[in-house]
Amino acid sequence: MSLLFSPLMLGQLELANRIIIAPMCQYSAVNGQATDWHTIHLGSMALSGAGMLILEATAVLPNGRISYADLGLWDDKTETALANVLKSVRQYSSIPMAIQLAHAGRKASTRKPWEGGGTIAPDEPNGWQIIAPSAQSFNEGTALPSAMTSDEIDELIAAFVSSAQRAERLGLDAIELHAAHGYLLHQFLSPLSNQRLDEYGGSLENRLRLLLTVFDAVKAVVSPKMALGVRISATDWVDGGWDLVQSIVLAKELDARGCDFIHVSTGGLSPLQQIPVAEHFQVPFAKAIKAEVNMPVIAVGLITDVNKAEAILTQGQADAIALARTMLYNPHWPWHAAATLGATVKAPPQYLRSAPHAVKSPIV
């Protein structure tokens, strides 16, 4: 039996297989509100046969959006818009769905990638004042963030709690806290971006404090059936920055708090990063963390080959694999993987006759 197509428990949530669709920003919301594009995009992903679909990075505050077109979940309007999308998708798919709750920090207030992706100044249309642990820009010459005050940190924690409660009302199955890719929670973790002198900066214990406080606060308000996990960048790929040793300390702290999964990526914090991009280049970080924790570990990053994805699991390097761009390019990758490995996945009845004549249908 294929391990890739065996069940996996994330807390109390059971996944039919171990293929996770990773969050992918769509830059297609209006004032944080989901649109028809989200219905089309998520509908496509929801018919893929994957074990779980994680919605894109969803801002807990308006100033936490990467771009002015990012998805949000901070008020009744954003909640209602997303509810309408999920209602449409749920009519035709029972795939477990998670949401990635996020704040972009100093990487916020940007144009869409296809508009150049550059920072938008606070006094320009679609721009706003960005915030960060310390008044340090991501890139030289770009807008300077303001260092967060204690009140702003309290507001942020409360915003994560409120968005988590909204996510549960929406009937979502899991929450992933975004502490990766150089966004705000990651900025607090890394000594490169966190130069604070208070209880949130300096020592590793202090730099972990905000993420752990957010995790504890969210866990306290969601029901036990809601799987709660964290996505991290296991290294900044910059000397003197956040690294695997610190990531393992964090992972153990989360594991002890009852974290249901950890999703291991890398990079994104600094333009000085030197990333040795290659097939499966992030998997060793997942493997190292898996050796230290009990919770399931999700590996991600240039995983495209079916048999190699299976090997990552059979060799004990991770408990699940996540796909992002691969799924955009081939939304039925799990179907093809199931056919290769002699497994089956669920598909809508409208598609049951779709398998080529010479292939034993992997969809049921």
Side-chain angles (χ1 to χ4, degrees), residues 12 20 29 93 136 138 141 146 150 159 161 163 167 188 204 211 248 262-263 288 292-293 303 318 361:
Q12 296 183 19
I20 311 295
S93 174
Q136 293 183 328
F138 176 71
S146 60
S150 295
V161 167
S163 294
F188 270 87
L204 177 58
L211 173 55
I248 289 173
I262 188 165
H263 189 171
E292 301 289 344
V293 298
I303 301 170
S361 179

Side-chain angles (χ1 to χ4, degrees), residues 9 21 45 55-57 62 69 102 177 180 185 220 238-239 258 325 338 352:
M9 298 298 298
I21 301 177
M45 295 294 105
L55 277 62
E56 66 194 82
L177 301 177
L185 293 179
V238 180
D239 288 343
R325 293 175 178 85
L352 290 180

Side-chain angles (χ1 to χ4, degrees), residues 38-71:
H38 293 92
T39 304
I40 295 168
H41 167 65
L42 294 174
S44 172
M45 295 294 105
L47 302 181
S48 66
M52 185 169 74
L53 165 60
I54 308 177
L55 277 62
E56 66 194 82
T58 302
V60 299
L61 288 168
N63 69 358
R65 293 171 292 169
I66 303 167
S67 79
Y68 63 89
D70 278 25
L71 193 64

Side-chain angles (χ1 to χ4, degrees), residues 145-221:
S146 60
M148 293 177 69
T149 65
S150 295
D151 287 344
E152 286 174 326
I153 289 175
D154 290 343
E155 178 187 11
L156 177 76
I157 296 166
F160 270 99
V161 167
S162 176
S163 294
Q165 292 171 317
R166 293 181 185 278
E168 186 144 39
R169 281 203 298 269
L170 287 168
L172 290 162
D173 302 289
I175 292 169
E176 179 176 271
L177 301 177
H178 196 4
H181 300 162
Y183 298 118
L184 187 59
L185 293 179
H186 182 185
Q187 291 163 29
F188 270 87
L189 294 175
S190 177
L192 298 178
S193 50
N194 184 347
Q195 300 295 316
R196 299 179 71 91
L197 301 177
D198 62 4
E199 67 271 28
Y200 291 103
S203 68
L204 177 58
E205 179 183 5
N206 284 357
R207 287 182 281 114
L208 297 181
R209 191 180 308 279
L210 180 58
L211 173 55
L212 296 179
T213 299
V214 169
F215 178 87
D216 289 343
V218 169
K219 188 172 179 61
V221 298

Side-chain angles (χ1 to χ4, degrees), residues 226-273:
M226 174 70 80
L228 177 59
V230 177
R231 194 177 201 187
I232 68 167
S233 283
T235 178
D236 291 337
W237 297 109
V238 180
D239 288 343
W242 181 256
D243 58 20
L244 178 59
V245 172
Q246 296 171 89
S247 293
I248 289 173
V249 174
L250 170 60
K252 287 181 175 180
E253 288 282 353
L254 290 168
D255 204 32
R257 284 169 157 79
C259 190
D260 293 316
F261 63 92
I262 188 165
H263 189 171
V264 182
S265 187
T266 65
L269 183 103
S270 170
L272 300 177
Q273 63 189 13

Side-chain angles (χ1 to χ4, degrees), residues 271-282:
L272 300 177
Q273 63 189 13
Q274 296 293 317
I275 303 179
V277 177
E279 184 181 54
H280 303 179
F281 72 103
Q282 297 177 149

